[in-house]
Amino acid sequence: MSIDRYAKQRIFLGREADEGLRSKRVAVLGLGALGSVIAPWLARAGVGHLTLIDRDLVEQSNLQRQLLYGESDLGRPKAEVAAERLREANSSIDLTPVVADLTSGNARELLSGFDLICDGTDNFEARFLINDVAILTGTPWIYAGAIGGEGVIWPLHPPHTPCLRCLIEEPPAGGDVDTCDSAGVLGPAVGVIASWAALEALKMLTGKAPHTDLVRFDFWHDERQFLKPPRARCRFCTEKVTEFLDARWTLKASALCGLEGVQIRVNPPGKLDLTALKARLETRTRSPWKQVGMMLKGHEGPDEITLFADGRALVHGPMTPERARSWYTEVVGC
Ligand SMILES: [Zn+2]
């Protein structure tokens, strides 16, 4: 009986706080190692609505730490697999998978209407977009990140708390930050950080104040820091200046870090007619292309290409970003 599903949690939280969770709406952006732990905790706790957003497909190198996925999920969109797994865990909540790339053109639409946004991303571009949406809509969010054997977590709710830009004004330059590809990452380290983020989420959703410090734990070297939030507020959150949401760009082609390949992103994300495109690509490449759900996969010479309905493309092979950009413009148009 579902009546007892939340019994143990209700003893601790109290009936009102527990039942309040059923009417909450949370977006989990990024369903990698962090999202794989945050989302199940919230689903099992009975958060009434979860929107699960991720642009990626499950890859072999994810399985070491991304607990939602198994070998049979390789090549499938993470958001869809995640929704299936969480539905098995709790069929009484509303789960909406969204396979999408967050850009300035869709961030406001994708992240509006929630009681909380959980950061499960691995990049500052996305975090600064979340921060802008939070500033604009007054939605609280939880910044979380992990790398190597360490991680950080910081619950934010501007204007009641500082915003991300009060601490870091600009996203660090690409070469300045370690990534999972340069520093590696240990699964359990991400797991602790993500569980902590889920715990702070439960506080925020039940009306209890979250902790205010930026917490940094290096689990491998047994170091921990509780950093007091900056006292001075930046002009971005005080004047509601949303530079990242306001940024205009149409096409970006970048080398996939750690892998041989290129990612192409379009802004705002579009709506490709995959059936029409399939016919065109088959004529062009004289080889079969396969449409699977929201994806189209095939080969152009030695490169394996995946096109998504939202306009994004992944090219695995020797193609350079410049060449991939012109291939895309030629074939898909822009
Ligand atoms: Zn600020």
Side-chain angles (χ1 to χ4, degrees):
M1 277 293 283
S2 66
I3 195 136
D4 283 318
R5 171 186 284 271
Y6 307 116
K8 298 294 153 56
Q9 165 179 298
R10 196 166 52 236
I11 294 168
F12 183 82
L13 290 177
R15 179 172 297 275
E16 200 181 327
D18 171 58
E19 285 176 359
L21 291 173
R22 305 298 99 72
S23 62
K24 298 297 181 191
R25 299 174 54 84
V26 176
V28 180
L29 177 71
L31 297 158
L34 288 165
S36 268
V37 172
I38 297 170
W41 281 137
L42 300 184
R44 287 173 187 274
V47 171
H49 173 94
L50 290 176
T51 289
L52 307 165
I53 310 166
D54 197 289
R55 63 188 181 193
D56 289 325
L57 310 177
V58 179
E59 293 182 36
Q60 187 88 31
S61 65
N62 301 150
L63 301 181
Q64 160 252 359
R65 65 194 179 284
Q66 302 189 9
L67 298 176
L68 277 176
Y69 316 113
E71 291 174 6
S72 61
D73 303 316
L74 293 174
R76 296 188 58 207
K78 290 181 186 177
E80 287 175 12
V81 180
E84 280 174 24
R85 291 292 130 77
L86 298 184
R87 215 163 267 136
E88 288 166 18
N90 192 346
S91 62
S92 70
I93 60 167
D94 179 25
L95 292 157
T96 305
V98 179
V99 183
D101 181 29
L102 189 82
T103 72
S104 62
N106 66 3
R108 200 175 165 173
E109 184 192 341
L110 281 180
L111 298 177
S112 287
F114 296 101
D115 296 296
L116 178 71
I117 301 166
C118 290
D119 166 25
T121 70
D122 57 359
N123 68 85
F124 278 97
E125 186 184 340
R127 290 181 183 126
F128 279 78
L129 283 171
I130 302 175
N131 194 62
D132 271 5
V133 174
I135 288 171
L136 203 63
T137 61
T139 312
W141 71 287
I142 301 177
Y143 164 38
I147 195 81
E150 63 176 87
V152 295
I153 162 170
W154 194 22
L156 297 165
H157 190 190
H160 311 289
T161 72
C163 82
L164 180 61
R165 298 192 79 181
C166 295
L167 181 76
I168 322 167
E169 190 176 322
E170 298 290 333
D176 292 352
V177 281
D178 275 329
T179 67
C180 293
D181 288 303
S182 61
V185 61
L186 286 179
V190 197
V192 181
I193 291 295
S195 280
W196 195 337
L199 188 73
E200 294 301 329
L202 290 181
K203 286 187 194 169
M204 291 164 106
L205 294 169
T206 54
K208 179 175 162 60
H211 79 81
T212 54
D213 295 349
L214 191 167
V215 183
R216 181 184 159 268
F217 269 21
D218 183 335
F219 304 107
W220 195 254
H221 299 101
D222 298 324
E223 289 168 16
R224 51 211 67 180
Q225 288 175 296
F226 291 84
L227 303 169
K228 287 277 161 251
R231 277 171 185 273
R233 299 292 167 85
C234 72
R235 69 183 175 90
F236 307 103
C237 61
T238 46
E239 292 165 29
K240 295 201 175 193
V241 178
T242 55
E243 287 182 329
F244 295 91
L245 279 181
D246 300 339
R248 292 287 160 257
W249 53 272
T250 53
L251 184 69
K252 280 184 186 172
S254 51
L256 286 170
C257 73
L259 298 161
E260 192 184 46
V262 179
Q263 171 168 246
I264 295 169
R265 303 170 60 210
V266 293
N267 186 40
K271 190 102 187 77
L272 298 185
D273 181 344
L274 294 181
T275 315
L277 209 50
K278 179 175 188 289
R280 208 181 324 151
L281 282 160
E282 288 184 336
T283 312
R284 177 192 163 95
T285 62
R286 294 198 194 109
S287 61
W289 283 62
K290 201 170 140 198
Q291 192 178 343
V292 192
M294 309 281 274
M295 294 179 297
L296 188 59
K297 278 176 183 265
H299 285 85
E300 169 86 45
D303 294 282
E304 188 196 45
I305 297 175
T306 307
L307 284 163
F308 295 82
D310 72 353
R312 210 160 55 89
L314 292 174
V315 181
H316 288 285
M319 211 185 271
T320 62
E322 295 69 33
R323 172 80 193 98
R325 190 189 172 93
S326 53
W327 178 88
Y328 188 93
T329 317
E330 216 176 293
V331 177
V332 184
C334 198

